[in-house]
Amino acid sequence: MSPIEEVIINKKSNINPIWIMRQAGRYLPEFREIRKKNTDFIRLCLNPDLSKEITLQPIKRFGFDAAVIFSDILMVPYGIGQEVKFIKNFGPKLGDLNLINLDKISEDSFTKNLSPVYKLLESLKKSPEMVNKDLIGFVGAPWTLLVYMINKVSPKNGLKENFFENGNIINKTLNILDTIIKLHIKNQVNAGATIIQIFDSWAGLVDYEFNKYLYNPTKSLVDYTKNLGVPVICFPRNIKDYPEFCKIVKPDMINIDYNVDPKLIIDKINIPVQGGLDPKVLLTDKNNMKKKVLEYLTIFKNHPYVFNLGHGILPETEIDMVQELVKTVREFK
Ligand code: CP3
């Protein structure tokens, strides 16, 4: 059994497992080298040879306990026919979503559109670097995908004023997302994913109707994934009440963000915990980072814990700091 599965299933492992959100990405010079020559991000995600190489880059460099496939949560809107572009120094930009298109989506064409992602998993599964490691497939949670599909750009400056105006489109999109995200989960599991992580990066934007937008849609995916026999990790970033989320949604493991005080939460959560450390700590110095890493490891010493960050690693992070981070986690007893 892999170290992460040991933590999830047996509640302990002989080593302190570690992987990092967004570990396959822009802080790695070898990724930037490939990215320079491949300006179309979606096409890069759909190139099984290059996406395999990128997925394995952080495994080869740092020996993490899991590989997270090089893909994106926005491959789901892409797969159902919404235009998705990644613009340099701006981020994702999506095309219009119209109800007629939503009505026409077929499961077969979705699976066909994303078949390179599933090929990537099959090929990673056979790769020697992956022995005794987890292969993490992932999806965006319905709320976060709804946000991108309707807002059409990142909501980092807030949702558009008319976001909630068309209740019909919102309800219909949530329904379709439930079906299509489950299909994407099933396809990833069939192709070899050993764990599924659900990213709800914009969960913190919901401040009422938690059931409608967060708990019900996520629980539906969690139940579905558990039924496939694969552990599921939830990351409802910046959500107000993590313990309540865990009680209602019941994932196999919860990834906390860096605004959560681990000391205050540990007694209130009775499932395995992942993550927490502020990725900005990796931009400081080694001593400070070590101190902060040891704080998390000490607090979670007697709680099933997988080391990770409280959000994705920042592009400006130095390789040296990641190396030191892994060393600190591995040496902690
Ligand atoms: O190691 C990995 O995690 C790689 C696979 C991965 C990517 N995106 C590749 C990527 C994963 C798991 C994601 C998840 C993702 N994508 C999330 C959830 C996690 C989070 O960060 O909150 C979200 C919200 C997205 C949507 C997205 N994709 C945005 C907002 C952006 C632009 C800004 C950014 O964070 O880079 C992307 C592009 C993207 N996805 C890149 C990578 C490596 C950068 C592409 C580039 O410009 O080179």
Side-chain angles (χ1 to χ4, degrees):
M1 205 187 285
S2 74
I4 298 176
E5 279 164 288
E6 278 176 2
V7 168
I8 295 176
I9 295 161
N10 299 336
K11 315 289 183 232
K12 59 169 194 272
S13 158
N14 290 333
I15 63 169
N16 303 316
I18 175 170
W19 68 282
I20 287 184
M21 289 192 284
R22 311 294 295 270
Q23 66 190 20
R26 290 180 295 181
Y27 70 107
L28 286 176
E30 57 270 37
F31 168 75
R32 288 198 298 265
E33 198 53 42
I34 294 181
R35 181 72 171 100
K36 229 174 27 202
K37 293 185 226 125
N38 295 270
T39 48
D40 184 332
F41 180 74
I42 297 265
R43 272 184 60 187
L44 183 55
C45 289
L46 294 175
N47 177 328
D49 293 329
L50 286 178
S51 55
K52 180 181 177 188
E53 189 178 332
I54 295 169
T55 302
L56 291 174
Q57 283 172 348
I59 307 300
K60 291 179 183 157
R61 231 189 222 275
F62 307 113
F64 291 128
D65 295 300
V68 52
I69 56 164
F70 182 73
S71 182
D72 199 88
I73 63 165
L74 299 180
M75 295 310 283
V76 162
Y78 168 82
I80 59 183
Q82 188 174 10
E83 188 187 27
V84 180
K85 282 189 186 150
F86 288 86
I87 297 166
K88 207 173 170 180
N89 303 325
F90 177 79
K93 193 161 173 27
L94 283 75
D96 287 338
L97 174 71
N98 72 52
L99 279 177
I100 298 153
N101 282 353
L102 283 186
D103 280 333
K104 280 193 304 204
I105 299 153
S106 91
E107 298 200 7
D108 286 349
S109 65
F110 177 85
T111 298
K112 195 160 155 259
N113 290 345
L114 294 199
S115 63
V117 177
Y118 312 132
K119 274 204 198 103
L120 163 68
L121 279 154
E122 283 164 10
S123 148
L124 284 164
K125 193 80 194 159
K126 292 184 221 133
S127 126
E129 289 90 345
M130 291 305 299
V131 173
N132 204 28
K133 293 192 191 292
D134 277 296
L135 188 48
I136 301 184
F138 65 88
V139 293
W143 164 252
T144 286
L145 289 184
L146 181 78
V147 164
Y148 280 108
M149 289 167 81
I150 292 187
N151 208 59
K152 295 191 282 184
V153 294
S154 161
K156 56 183 177 233
N157 302 318
L159 290 171
K160 288 184 176 155
E161 240 168 67
N162 61 355
F163 184 86
F164 290 102
E165 202 169 71
N166 192 334
N168 188 26
I169 290 211
I170 289 195
N171 292 337
K172 205 158 179 170
T173 308
L174 282 175
N175 266 332
I176 284 163
L177 283 173
D178 183 66
T179 308
I180 294 294
I181 297 172
K182 282 176 182 165
L183 176 64
H184 192 37
I185 291 175
K186 184 179 77 183
N187 289 341
Q188 292 184 73
V189 169
N190 286 345
T194 59
I195 294 179
I196 294 291
Q197 176 146 333
I198 302 175
F199 287 95
D200 210 348
S201 305
W202 297 107
L205 292 179
V206 177
D207 46 23
Y208 70 110
E209 295 202 271
F210 294 101
N211 284 326
K212 173 172 178 179
Y213 293 115
L214 301 181
Y215 298 157
N216 295 343
T218 309
K219 186 168 182 346
S220 174
L221 302 181
V222 164
D223 289 347
Y224 180 82
T225 312
K226 285 181 173 175
N227 273 329
L228 296 175
V230 165
V232 53
I233 308 170
C234 283
F235 180 38
R237 187 170 73 92
N238 275 349
I239 201 176
K240 315 270 176 310
D241 193 338
Y242 271 92
E244 180 177 83
F245 178 93
C246 292
K247 267 185 215 118
I248 296 174
V249 177
K250 298 190 178 69
D252 293 294
M253 182 152 76
I254 185 85
N255 196 117
I256 54 173
D257 65 73
Y258 56 85
N259 291 316
V260 171
D261 183 339
K263 282 200 228 63
L264 293 182
I265 208 135
I266 184 150
D267 297 329
K268 298 192 188 130
I269 292 183
N270 60 4
I271 60 171
V273 172
Q274 173 174 279
L277 183 76
D278 188 341
K280 287 192 282 303
V281 169
L282 275 68
L283 306 182
T284 63
D285 60 86
K286 286 185 181 165
N287 280 339
N288 179 57
M289 177 179 73
K290 219 168 156 169
K291 198 178 109 212
K292 295 276 173 4
V293 170
L294 292 176
E295 273 171 27
Y296 275 93
L297 291 169
T298 308
I299 292 168
F300 289 104
K301 195 165 172 32
N302 296 311
H303 190 105
Y305 184 63
V306 171
F307 195 90
N308 202 320
L309 303 178
H311 197 191
I313 185 166
L314 295 162
E316 53 271 44
T317 309
E318 281 173 24
I319 300 295
D320 241 24
M321 295 296 275
V322 184
Q323 231 128 30
E324 185 72 15
L325 169 74
V326 176
K327 188 162 165 269
T328 309
V329 173
R330 294 292 192 212
E331 285 174 358
F332 179 79
K333 283 219 165 59

